[in-house]
Amino acid sequence: MRPDPHSYADTGQPQTSSISFDLHVDFELKTLSGEIELRFREPGSGPLDLDTNGLRIAALTSLAGAALKFELARPEPILGARLRIDLPAQTRGVRIRYATSPGASALQWLGPAQTSSGQPFLFSQCQPIHARSVFPLQDSPRVRVTVDSARFTVPPRLRTLMAASFRGRQGPATDVFAMPQPIPPYLLAFAVGDLTSRELSRRSAVWAEPAVADAAAFEFAGVEQMIVAAEKLFGPYEWERYDVLVMPPSFPFGGMENPRLTFVTPSVLAGDRSLVNVIAHELAHAWTGNLITNASLNDFWLNEGFTVYAERRILEALEGRELSELHAAIGRHDLDVALERFRTRPELTRLRTDLAGIDPDEAYSTLPYEKGYLFLRRLEELAGRAAWDGFLRAYMTAFRFQSIDTAQFLGLLDRELPGLSQKARALEWIDQPGIPADAPQPRSRRLEELRSVELPPADVSPTELLVHLQAVRSPTERVLRELDARFGLSSRKSLELRHTFVLLQLRAGLAEGIDGARRVVRETGRMKYLRPVYQELAKTDRAVARRTFDELRESYHPIARAVVEGLLK
Ligand code: BES
Ligand code: ZN
């Protein structure tokens, strides 16, 4: 059976339980080449179907070295090419010699001009289904693997970081890692560059190119407190170290929860620690996502909805309810934008989806994050916090190191808190489009104030200011100029604030919005900012939007490029 619509992995065939690989990183050819070994949970025979995308297969043998018959199918648009191997009786695993293609969807190769160090940089981004463009394997999150040995041979002056445990450098330039905890393939992650670190605590450091290392150490100084707060809520941190890697600006996401090593956009370095909720989010994934993983993308809300909920609980524990309510309000605003985007595709506004035949990068939105958050908050409200926190602990224990679907979540909910799911009308939340009428409403006195004043007082926090800006409807030129004069919004380091302000300027028809928009999309490759800014810029002046994108497209990550391309069409 093939239970995952985005993978050829078949549950009737041998299941991979551990892998080892040895790869040579070639910045000239933009390829990785070398060898991977897949070892099975139990010896097996017959067909074995692996996922690949753009891989060139050079040789394929058993672990003992006997040549095996295989067939690489014609590539399918979303899934890639199935690699079918014919396993003789009692096969314990396979060894594959292969190379990636320069266009591998999981990789971005940056030239010296695209980094602050003037050195080249390579990084992977495998979620949701790009691991197959780097490794031939069963690329479904239900197939969890450990990594016995991962070897990267790189240019000697660069260093590899992998989301794994570092075992040392061998010879002139081979970095060796291992990952003893079983992880879904989308969490395989590495970066190669001119990287240096700053210690944050006994179990935590930040990595970055030298020019940003100090700023990063300042921004993330509170990481250890976050880990402590999260452990108090969700149980012990199971991954030993928690490091953060600050990526080059083209990183297409805010953050990525790669185990032991969160990847994060440099746009969170606002200089005032106002965007560290991104770190709280990626850290929370150590429990919700990495310890307990969605079985397929149809249950993606189990990863992201739980993580947004956990992120706000961490913030509440550290900073208080006022602040976590501000974040919930910002989330509600973003949710309304996503609902509008999917007005003609309501099926994508369910929590439990059917993404067969759909490219998950195209379906990606904040919806499973924020609708999932509201659903869990609703359950908490009805159960009461003490009982609900008991459920969270039971959830973390019951499913640790497992990949689960929504039905398994509901099963545990019924056993632990009988009657709650009926009371909350859980199935309406899960299987119906849109947002139920009884959804929780983020509320606080501060929120009311921020939304009703024309000009907030000069001492508001960056998060409060964002709440205010998001609530501004049909701004006048005068109000925008006063906001800019008071808060320096058009030159603000925080792109969270600056891009929101630019959207207001463009909507108000102010000419300086165009220049502001161009600056935002030049400074970052983060899709959260590119999408709305290009969209609004195109509404204002299509030709400028097109020209700007043509200038910048080569600097963007392939996924981001496709997204902007799609909205300028
Ligand atoms: N796991 C996601 C990023 C992701 C999701 C990459 C799906 C590829 C496919 C990560 O944890 C995330 O949600 N990042 C957010 C952070 C925000 C919610 C604080 C982002 O990138 O904006
Ligand atoms: Zn997330």
Side-chain angles (χ1 to χ4, degrees):
M1 190 179 66
R2 274 182 49 197
D4 181 340
H6 295 111
S7 172
Y8 287 108
D10 190 318
T11 50
Q13 301 176 357
Q15 303 290 297
T16 307
S17 63
S18 76
I19 66 173
S20 291
F21 56 83
D22 187 354
L23 295 173
H24 179 88
V25 178
D26 190 328
F27 276 93
E28 312 269 79
L29 294 177
K30 298 190 177 166
T31 60
L32 309 179
S33 60
E35 221 167 66
I36 186 169
E37 264 182 35
L38 313 183
R39 285 174 290 274
F40 307 144
R41 202 166 292 285
E42 270 141 27
S45 64
L48 172 70
D49 293 332
L50 303 181
D51 296 297
T52 76
N53 201 344
L55 300 182
R56 202 164 47 71
I57 307 296
L60 210 159
T61 68
S62 68
L63 296 179
L68 298 180
K69 269 199 265 173
F70 67 91
E71 181 204 5
L72 190 60
R74 202 154 40 77
E76 292 290 324
I78 299 165
L79 288 174
R82 186 188 72 189
L83 173 60
R84 174 163 283 184
I85 309 171
D86 215 348
L87 304 175
Q90 288 294 310
T91 306
R92 288 175 306 113
V94 296
R95 183 179 305 132
I96 305 173
R97 283 206 69 80
Y98 72 101
T100 63
S101 82
S105 59
L107 301 177
Q108 191 177 16
W109 300 84
L110 299 174
Q114 290 171 280
T115 64
S116 60
S117 63
Q119 292 289 331
F121 197 102
L122 164 67
F123 67 87
S124 68
Q125 166 57 49
C126 288
Q127 197 183 18
I129 55 167
H130 302 292
R132 65 194 64 177
S133 73
V134 180
F135 310 103
L137 40 62
Q138 293 165 309
D139 190 10
S140 168
R142 355 172 32 107
V143 184
R144 305 180 79 99
V145 297
T146 57
V147 182
D148 293 349
S149 158
R151 300 163 59 87
F152 296 88
T153 302
V154 300
R157 54 187 310 167
L158 304 183
R159 159 201 287 281
T160 317
L161 291 183
M162 181 176 169
S165 154
F166 182 52
R167 296 294 156 93
R169 173 162 274 208
Q170 288 180 4
T174 301
D175 296 318
V176 185
F177 302 85
M179 186 69 207
Q181 287 90 352
I183 55 167
Y186 75 79
L187 290 178
L188 292 167
F190 54 88
V192 180
D194 181 8
L195 294 163
T196 185
S197 69
R198 300 282 183 272
E199 208 61 26
L200 299 172
S201 78
R202 188 179 49 77
R203 55 178 161 175
S204 185
V206 61
W207 290 87
E209 290 200 301
V212 275
D214 287 328
F218 171 83
E219 209 80 25
F220 305 143
V223 158
E224 179 61 29
Q225 289 168 45
M226 278 189 183
I227 306 173
V228 171
E231 288 191 301
K232 216 177 264 168
L233 287 162
F234 313 122
Y237 181 73
E238 300 271 10
W239 308 86
E240 294 161 52
R241 289 196 59 86
Y242 180 73
D243 296 333
V244 176
L245 170 60
V246 180
M247 306 298 282
S250 68
F251 188 63
F253 293 94
M256 178 64 212
E257 66 272 27
N258 298 131
R260 297 172 187 237
L261 182 66
T262 283
F263 287 13
V264 68
T265 164
S267 67
V268 301
L269 305 177
D272 55 14
R273 300 182 179 152
S274 59
L275 303 178
V276 292
N277 72 293
V278 176
I279 299 293
H281 179 95
E282 305 313 334
L283 171 65
H285 271 305
W287 289 265
T288 50
N290 300 4
L291 195 59
I292 304 174
T293 307
N294 54 213
S296 83
L297 291 164
N298 289 337
D299 304 291
F300 185 57
W301 82 274
L302 286 176
N303 270 26
E304 297 299 344
F306 262 90
T307 299
V308 171
Y309 177 84
E311 166 197 340
R312 293 190 184 138
R313 288 295 302 274
I314 294 170
L315 292 179
E316 181 188 326
L318 292 172
E319 307 280 341
R321 181 83 175 180
E322 277 287 349
L323 182 85
S324 60
E325 278 304 85
L326 293 177
H327 282 278
I330 292 165
R332 179 64 216 217
H333 169 271
D334 298 346
L335 174 59
D336 290 334
V337 174
L339 287 166
E340 180 60 29
R341 176 177 152 210
F342 289 137
R343 226 185 16 198
T344 55
R345 297 178 77 184
E347 70 286 358
L348 292 179
T349 69
R350 299 180 179 145
L351 286 179
R352 179 159 52 187
T353 51
D354 178 6
L355 296 182
I358 297 179
D359 180 344
D361 283 329
E362 250 162 59
Y364 179 81
S365 83
T366 191
L367 194 120
Y369 291 71
E370 296 297 343
K371 184 178 176 184
Y373 164 78
L374 289 175
F375 173 44
L376 295 172
R377 178 167 163 164
R378 177 75 180 141
L379 292 173
E380 181 204 311
E381 279 178 6
L382 291 172
R385 179 159 282 188
W388 177 248
D389 283 1
F391 170 76
L392 289 179
R393 287 301 197 111
Y395 180 71
M396 302 298 169
T397 314
F399 297 127
R400 61 199 295 278
F401 293 113
Q402 292 181 42
S403 304
I404 66 162
D405 63 16
T406 301
Q408 286 169 281
F409 157 75
L410 286 172
L412 185 75
L413 187 63
D414 272 343
R415 291 195 292 284
E416 293 289 323
L417 298 170
L420 182 61
S421 73
Q422 288 85 337
K423 199 165 160 197
R425 281 184 279 137
L427 288 177
E428 182 185 335
W429 279 92
I430 287 170
D431 291 322
Q432 297 302 315
I435 308 300
D438 56 6
Q441 302 266 355
R443 218 170 241 138
S444 82
R445 242 199 34 237
R446 197 77 187 125
L447 264 177
E448 307 302 314
E449 283 167 20
L450 288 165
R451 286 170 170 161
S452 54
V453 291
E454 189 177 83
L455 199 62
D459 63 351
V460 289
S461 72
T463 309
E464 292 173 326
L465 188 51
L466 182 61
V467 167
H468 174 77
L469 293 180
Q470 287 189 333
V472 172
R473 303 276 161 253
S474 28
T476 62
E477 184 166 344
R478 177 187 61 82
V479 166
L480 290 181
R481 289 204 199 291
E482 282 176 18
L483 280 166
D484 201 9
R486 181 167 289 186
F487 300 107
L489 287 165
S490 55
S491 55
R492 201 78 183 203
K493 187 140 188 258
S494 162
L495 288 180
E496 198 69 43
L497 284 169
R498 204 194 325 148
H499 101 281
T500 306
F501 187 64
V502 160
L503 295 178
L504 291 174
Q505 288 181 311
L506 289 173
R507 277 170 208 150
L510 298 194
E512 55 263 50
I514 294 185
D515 184 53
R518 285 168 51 86
R519 278 187 293 124
V520 170
V521 298
R522 182 168 303 131
E523 275 171 50
T524 189
R526 183 175 175 185
M527 292 188 285
K528 178 179 183 188
Y529 303 138
L530 296 185
R531 188 195 290 280
V533 172
Y534 270 111
Q535 197 148 21
E536 206 57 49
L537 187 59
K539 273 193 216 156
T540 309
D541 188 333
R542 235 195 143 63
V544 173
R546 190 71 235 182
R547 217 176 330 114
T548 307
F549 177 58
D550 288 339
E551 276 163 35
L552 295 170
R553 56 173 300 141
E554 287 312 311
S555 67
Y556 293 144
H557 190 283
I559 305 175
R561 212 179 290 156
V563 162
V564 179
E565 192 77 68
L567 84 223
L568 293 183
K569 251 202 325 257

